[in-house]
Amino acid sequence: MHELGILINIAETITSIAQEQGIQEIQTLVLEIGELSPVVPHYIEECYPAAVHDTILENTELKIELVPGIGKCRSCGETFNVVKHHAQCPVCSHSAFDVLSGKDFIIKEIIAR
Ligand SMILES: [Zn+2]
């Protein structure tokens, strides 16, 4: 489980952003997690309270927005949900595809109080 380390990094990043911008208190932190990113939303939620303890995020609400993993079949061009279709094109059964979305894990928004 690497989510704790990721969250500690995020807390550090946000602490320096807040210092730069003179933000005293953060109300909500919005993270965007792609279905195909190596980050597991459930673990993020679980680790969050421990990771932000004694940081600027201590009393901040965590919001996670999930981005569906969408792939485009290299054989027939069909776009499909990679997770739902087990990484196989539902039209031609090819398993070679390009990922169009859902690969990333980003800090989407920091809402100051
Ligand atoms: Zn296909």
Side-chain angles (χ1 to χ4, degrees), residues 78-93:
E78 175 79 4
T79 56
F80 59 98
N81 186 306
V82 175
V83 176
K84 214 163 116 190
H85 294 285
H86 308 287
Q88 207 176 47
C89 175
V91 174
C92 71
S93 296

Side-chain angles (χ1 to χ4, degrees), residues 58-78:
E58 173 125 43
N59 295 309
T60 299
E61 184 202 348
L62 173 67
K63 231 165 122 179
I64 292 176
E65 290 182 4
L66 288 176
V67 178
I70 303 297
K72 186 175 187 199
C73 177
R74 280 189 193 163
S75 173
C76 74
E78 175 79 4

Side-chain angles (χ1 to χ4, degrees), residues 25-71:
E25 238 185 310
I26 297 166
Q27 188 180 346
T28 309
L29 168 67
V30 186
L31 298 178
E32 193 178 278
I33 304 178
E35 270 184 341
L36 304 176
S37 88
V39 178
V40 182
H42 172 71
Y43 289 147
I44 289 287
E45 280 172 338
E46 215 163 77
C47 294
Y48 183 76
V52 302
H53 182 70
D54 271 346
T55 73
I56 190 168
L57 291 174
E58 173 125 43
N59 295 309
T60 299
E61 184 202 348
L62 173 67
K63 231 165 122 179
I64 292 176
E65 290 182 4
L66 288 176
V67 178
I70 303 297

